[in-house]
Amino acid sequence: MSDQMIVADSSIDYQVKEAAVIVAALGFVLALGGVVIAAWILCGWRGAKSVSVEWLKGKATFSCR
Amino acid sequence: MDKPKIQIVNFLLESDLVSLSSSLKLNKNFLHDKSISAKHRLHPEATLFLGWLMSPRLVSAWPSFAQKHNIRLESLGDIVVFLNSIGGLRVDRSWVKVFQMTIQKMRHGLYGIRIPTLARRWPSSISGLIVAITKSSSVLLVALVIVDALSYMAGFPAHKIVSYSTIFYLIVWSSTFVHELTHILIALNHRKSYTIIQRGLRLGILHQSFANKRYEVVSSLAGPTGGILFALIPAMILGDILGDGLLVAIGLLIALFHSLSLLPMYGDGRLLLTASKKELGNNG
């Protein structure tokens, strides 16, 4: 026997049917968190009213109280 | 003089209690993976170590085991790296140590060193799937709570934020459940055994291969389709009842996340690509 500790069964494919949903959802929530932190910095404590995003222009407008 | 700390692999801590997953069985010099009928050949030293690992063992005890049986520590490392790649380890770790490992991963990450995530198998049942999805989405839930708190501190309407976050999490959870359950039902329909493997945020179903690659294509497509439909339909119904277009947007967004599973890089998409190539090769 070779020095290999484990010789994997070559007839078996260990590919897993994986869903990317939770990873993608976390990425989205983190991005949202960034927007919220930006609103806090720009408008101060409890100062933000709303935020609107123009996706095509890549512009976000923060409305403060 | 303090005993030097020996780290066998960087994804295990000395305080971890490690054993072999219950779906792996030792038979003479073979490691049987009952979930997909695999038989991996073992070196006699590996047989000795894995026999010992049938019961939970503290990682701090491994060096003395290795010394007693004249096995190199590197060999133990090779074995556990393989086992982790197939979700074959069962690791019991306290919440404090989980947090410690998270910090360690982040610190190593800053130096460009990637510490592998622990993979684990869950019981092949509906309750096993429920627990696996809840565990893998726990970080998402924590992130949502933190963002909700930050939103309140920024001045956004708290009640709206909380309700949208709750609906978002519930649709992510339930559509992921439907996505994975679809894979399981197709496997069971063809009398294939399966196991649920969770690796951090990533969750997947491992089952015996279908003889006919066409069923593999169907299964790889059906899971994301089920997830997409179960993300869209409830969101559209709720959005229509409450007259809130944002709920429909949430459903569309989560449906998009499910469709990412069809990308050829990994998961369903990669299996779909492999199965389609084999099927075309058979027909050609």
Side-chain angles (χ1 to χ4, degrees):
Chain A
M1 175 137 192
S2 71
D3 285 341
Q4 268 186 292
M5 288 292 115
I6 301 179
V7 178
D9 189 339
S10 56
S11 65
I12 297 296
D13 194 0
Y14 264 100
Q15 292 213 60
V16 180
K17 286 190 170 67
E18 254 182 73
V21 191
I22 294 169
V23 177
L26 183 65
F28 173 74
V29 170
L30 292 175
L32 214 58
V35 171
V36 168
I37 289 170
W40 195 11
I41 291 168
L42 290 168
C43 300
W45 173 260
R46 303 278 295 143
K49 202 158 60 171
S50 66
V51 57
S52 61
V53 181
E54 287 168 72
W55 297 102
L56 293 172
K57 289 182 186 174
K59 190 172 140 184
T61 308
F62 294 86
S63 306
C64 304
R65 291 178 206 279
Chain B
M1 193 171 152
D2 286 339
K3 210 169 68 174
K5 222 165 130 177
I6 301 166
Q7 199 171 28
I8 297 164
V9 285
N10 58 8
F11 57 85
L12 290 177
L13 299 168
E14 281 196 336
S15 56
D16 288 341
L17 207 56
V18 180
S19 59
L20 219 54
S21 172
S22 56
S23 56
L24 297 179
K25 289 281 179 270
L26 276 181
N27 190 350
K28 292 180 188 166
N29 283 329
F30 284 93
L31 180 68
H32 283 260
D33 188 342
K34 294 189 300 181
S35 60
I36 59 166
S37 305
K39 268 173 74 168
H40 309 296
R41 189 139 28 112
L42 299 174
H43 189 283
E45 287 179 354
T47 306
L48 196 61
F49 176 60
L50 292 180
W52 184 67
L53 214 58
M54 294 296 282
S55 303
R57 307 285 176 185
L58 272 175
V59 172
S60 55
W62 292 12
S64 29
F65 173 87
Q67 195 176 30
K68 184 180 165 187
H69 297 279
N70 221 17
I71 302 172
R72 292 181 319 137
L73 273 179
E74 291 82 4
S75 302
L76 298 192
D78 291 343
I79 295 165
V80 294
V81 165
F82 173 80
L83 287 174
N84 192 47
S85 72
I86 63 168
L89 293 174
R90 196 200 148 97
V91 180
D92 287 317
R93 183 184 285 172
S94 67
W95 281 107
V96 172
K97 294 295 179 185
V98 167
F99 185 68
Q100 182 187 324
M101 180 52 93
T102 307
I103 302 295
Q104 197 171 308
K105 274 186 173 182
M106 284 165 62
R107 281 174 56 201
H108 279 71
L110 291 173
Y111 289 103
I113 300 166
R114 198 184 147 267
I115 296 180
T117 307
L118 269 178
R120 75 157 290 171
R121 296 185 180 199
W122 292 96
S124 305
S125 60
I126 296 296
S127 53
L129 182 60
I130 289 171
V131 174
I133 294 172
T134 307
K135 274 261 177 177
S136 63
S137 63
S138 56
V139 173
L140 174 65
L141 188 60
V142 168
L144 271 170
V145 169
I146 292 171
V147 169
D148 283 357
L150 287 171
S151 303
Y152 173 77
M153 288 189 272
F156 294 117
H159 63 282
K160 268 194 172 179
I161 301 291
V162 170
S163 51
Y164 284 130
S165 303
T166 308
I167 290 168
F168 178 81
Y169 179 76
L170 287 174
I171 296 178
V172 166
W173 195 102
S174 52
S175 59
T176 304
F177 179 81
V178 169
H179 182 139
E180 300 302 343
L181 186 65
T182 308
H183 289 314
I184 290 170
L185 290 175
I186 293 175
L188 289 175
N189 192 42
H190 291 90
R191 290 191 174 81
K192 300 293 178 190
S193 56
Y194 71 96
T195 194
I196 302 165
I197 294 186
Q198 180 225 336
R199 196 186 297 272
L201 296 170
R202 294 160 62 179
L203 181 70
I205 306 300
L206 178 69
H207 61 72
Q208 292 168 298
S209 294
F210 297 113
N212 189 336
K213 290 301 159 198
R214 201 167 294 170
Y215 300 137
E216 203 67 67
V217 172
V218 167
S219 177
S220 299
L221 279 173
T225 306
I228 287 167
L229 289 174
F230 211 81
L232 279 175
I233 294 170
M236 286 168 82
I237 293 172
L238 258 177
D240 194 43
I241 292 170
L242 300 172
D244 191 341
L246 192 53
L247 290 172
V248 179
I250 288 173
L252 274 167
L253 188 64
I254 297 169
L256 177 67
F257 296 157
H258 279 282
S259 63
L260 291 176
S261 303
L262 290 168
L263 290 173
M265 282 94 77
Y266 82 121
D268 295 330
R270 189 165 61 188
L271 274 165
L272 179 63
L273 192 64
T274 314
S276 310
K277 280 182 183 170
K278 283 184 184 168
E279 179 64 11
L280 283 170
N282 290 340
N283 291 339

